[in-house]
Amino acid sequence: MTSSTAPHEGAQTADAPAVQRLPTWATWTIGIACIVAAWFVALATPGEHDAQAPFEIPAAIGETATGRNLVVTVTDVRRASEVNADGWTAEGNWLVVDLETQAVLTEDRASLSHADLVVDGNRFTASERPDSLLRQPLAVGIPLAGSLAFELPEGLDTGSARLELALASDPSLDSMIVLSFELDEVPTESQTELLPTEWANP
């Protein structure tokens, strides 16, 4: 009678492949490569603030800039130490912007609710003191002409400025018209008139 001997528990059989381990240097190389790849992915992925930032449409004086539901043509930018608007007068350090604007797709909640001037990181909202284009209802296909007036601190005469115009007071996830210029290059007058807010010829 032939007897067979069972292999000891845990013994490696003759046909089992040998387990090969990567060298230590190779393990470290792969790990570092994975970390670097994750870092590049993080850089390419926009943060929450960037993902919700408005889509900026660059503008130039005398040229038409078109956003999702907003068309703006800035016709003039000037500074003055006194502004007048329909009998109202005020002295100060003023920057006045003349423009024509209209809606594109719908008139529902279409108005210049966001009209800010940013100078070297300092933000100024268009003044509500004079009658102006600020928050005036816009129509589709019919330009509304008028002015915006920004009251700046005394002595603020230089700096990199950008005019921001958008329909919503919070323009996140929407288009925003942006006009960039140098404050000290803007023509200065002793006094100026704000344009009356009125429908322009289409």
Side-chain angles (χ1 to χ4, degrees):
M1 186 175 182
T2 304
S3 62
S4 60
T5 303
H8 296 291
E9 184 178 355
Q12 183 176 0
T13 58
D15 55 351
V19 177
Q20 296 183 353
R21 297 182 179 275
L22 290 174
T24 302
W25 65 266
T27 303
W28 277 100
T29 300
I30 294 173
I32 293 174
C34 290
I35 293 174
V36 172
W39 180 69
F40 276 108
V41 170
L43 286 180
T45 303
E48 181 178 355
H49 178 268
D50 293 334
Q52 296 183 356
F55 181 72
E56 297 186 0
I57 310 295
I61 296 177
E63 298 182 4
T64 299
T66 304
R68 178 190 62 84
N69 191 33
L70 179 65
V71 173
V72 171
T73 303
V74 176
T75 56
D76 189 35
V77 178
R78 59 195 180 279
R79 297 177 57 204
S81 54
E82 180 181 308
V83 294
N84 303 296
D86 193 23
W88 177 89
T89 301
E91 295 183 351
N93 184 14
W94 292 92
L95 183 134
V96 177
V97 180
D98 296 338
L99 63 147
E100 294 182 1
T101 180
Q102 60 182 295
V104 179
L105 302 173
T106 176
E107 298 175 1
D108 181 35
R109 291 179 293 181
S111 66
L112 285 180
S113 298
H114 180 92
D116 285 8
L117 180 72
V118 184
V119 183
D120 289 340
N122 298 306
R123 185 174 295 274
F124 306 95
T125 300
S127 176
E128 297 182 358
R129 297 169 64 191
D131 292 333
S132 71
L133 280 174
L134 184 65
R135 301 190 185 92
Q136 292 293 328
L138 304 181
V140 175
I142 306 176
L144 185 65
S147 301
L148 294 169
F150 298 87
E151 191 169 9
L152 306 179
E154 288 296 332
L156 182 56
D157 300 319
T158 63
S160 296
R162 54 181 264 149
L163 173 69
E164 299 179 352
L165 301 173
L167 295 179
S169 55
D170 179 7
S172 301
L173 301 176
D174 200 356
S175 57
M176 182 170 68
I177 309 298
V178 176
L179 173 68
S180 299
F181 56 93
E182 293 297 321
L183 194 59
D184 57 355
E185 296 178 0
V186 177
T188 302
E189 306 171 2
S190 58
Q191 63 179 7
T192 189
E193 293 276 347
L194 271 64
L195 296 179
T197 301
E198 57 188 8
W199 301 111
N201 293 325

